[in-house]
Amino acid sequence: MNQRRFELLCAALLGFGQLSIMTGFDSESFILESVIHSIHERAPERISQYAGYYGQAVIYAFYMVACMFSPSIIAVSTPKINLVTAAIFFTAFPLGFLFTNSYYYYFSSALLGIGFALFYQGQGGYLTSHSTRKTIESNVSISWSVGCCCMILGSAILAGITKLSAEDTKHLMEALNTTSESHKMERRFSDTEINLLFTAFTGISVIGIITFFVMPSRDVENCIESSSEKKETFMGALKLTCSTIVNSKMVQLIPLFSLCGLNTSFWLSVFPTAMSFTKQNSHLIYLPAIYSFAVGSGEVIMGIAISFLSKRIKNFGQKPTMTIGAVCVLIYCALIHFSTAFDAPMKPTQDEPILFHHSYLLAFTIGFICGIGDCCINSVRSVICALAMPKRRPQAFSVSKVFQALASCILFFLSPITPLFVYTIGLPVLSIIATILFFSISNRTQVMERKMTEGSRNAAEIGKKLAL
């Protein structure tokens, strides 16, 4: 096998491993609070009714702390070890829903947070050790496209199991209703549906462990950064990460990093919970599946579009992409604001929305726009971290994740008492602020790149003259 085919194989396997572990996490996030609400109603002693929100807050709290140390861990280990360990931690989380227990639930949430940090550092390290300067963009695009199919696969699992357990769910809803109007009862999950869903999520996460374990680990020739050559010590990498946090460029990008965390947490968990808590939606049992499919489709299509247009339009992956992402946030927040009751994220509700009710078409439209916006915002975050601080790429990326995780952690702790309009008004305002500051950093970065290019060109011309 020639080197290019070997690189493509490694990128595809990395993407498939990501697909496997993220399918469960993303799909769980869509329904987590609703599932736990259903378990709590049948057995209050097993788990708190808002453990879905609090558990995700724990995930992001440990993710935030682990991001501080992940560059140091990768400095003394290997990307493959990080990836396998992360996959094990991802698998431990859905496993706990087969015997729901508060202690194990929060413990596995903490492991999952650490797993997030290990995975993203391992992913970056694996790509740079299995790519050259000429192939890195293509390899990243392949890995991203395969990995982003996780929500499409998750939607198929959600739809299939919902159909298989539809009879049990119907009986549960009928038993819980105290009136003849079944639409007044919010969406509930039966024990059968919960067991089937989380067995499937656990199984596909195990496939992720196997995939990461069998992936080739040898570096390619002329790779960007070898995984076997350790240039820093654990403490040296930690000090570098701490100094990066207070760098002026990183401080100016905090609104962008916070937007990444708040935006993703909102569309991934808060809004799906609001749809499930809306009692008029009780008969729309396939909402999570359709919404998940739409988000995944938006992510994949936009990822391909960015890769295609970046080759034809200079710097398309910076200001144009950020503008598209901000506009998408404005649009989907407006749609959610007018179609969702303000107390829906906090508790089951019968309140009427401002203009119109949810439907499968509306859920698909909102999800598709969310996917496009999320892809754009996360893409520009990765680009600016790589370009703004070229000598501290791992540290810059980890710092961005620290602020992203902090924002998500705060959001989930406050979710049980936060009405919808705080999100639908706050996110657009934050996206505008983040866009303005991002444009400033992007302009400075492009000026820096031009100076570096001119300096290299001048040095080459002087070298030629001296040689003559």
Side-chain angles (χ1 to χ4, degrees), residues 114-147:
I114 297 170
F116 256 116
L118 295 178
F119 169 74
Y120 283 118
Q121 279 297 328
Q123 180 191 50
Y126 192 83
L127 282 170
T128 53
S129 65
H130 289 79
S131 304
T132 64
R133 295 283 183 183
K134 294 182 179 180
T135 61
I136 182 64
E137 291 184 3
S138 175
N139 292 346
V140 168
S141 178
I142 291 170
S143 178
W144 171 262
S145 298
V146 175

Side-chain angles (χ1 to χ4, degrees), residues 276-292:
S276 295
F277 277 179
T278 300
K279 295 189 177 183
Q280 290 89 343
N281 295 342
S282 62
H283 62 291
L284 302 175
I285 62 174
Y286 294 104
L287 268 181
I290 289 174
Y291 179 74
S292 176

Side-chain angles (χ1 to χ4, degrees), residues 18 21-22 82-83 86 90 115-123 212:
Q18 178 183 353
I21 64 173
M22 290 297 181
N82 280 28
L83 291 169
F90 269 83
F116 256 116
L118 295 178
F119 169 74
Y120 283 118
Q121 279 297 328
Q123 180 191 50
F212 288 143

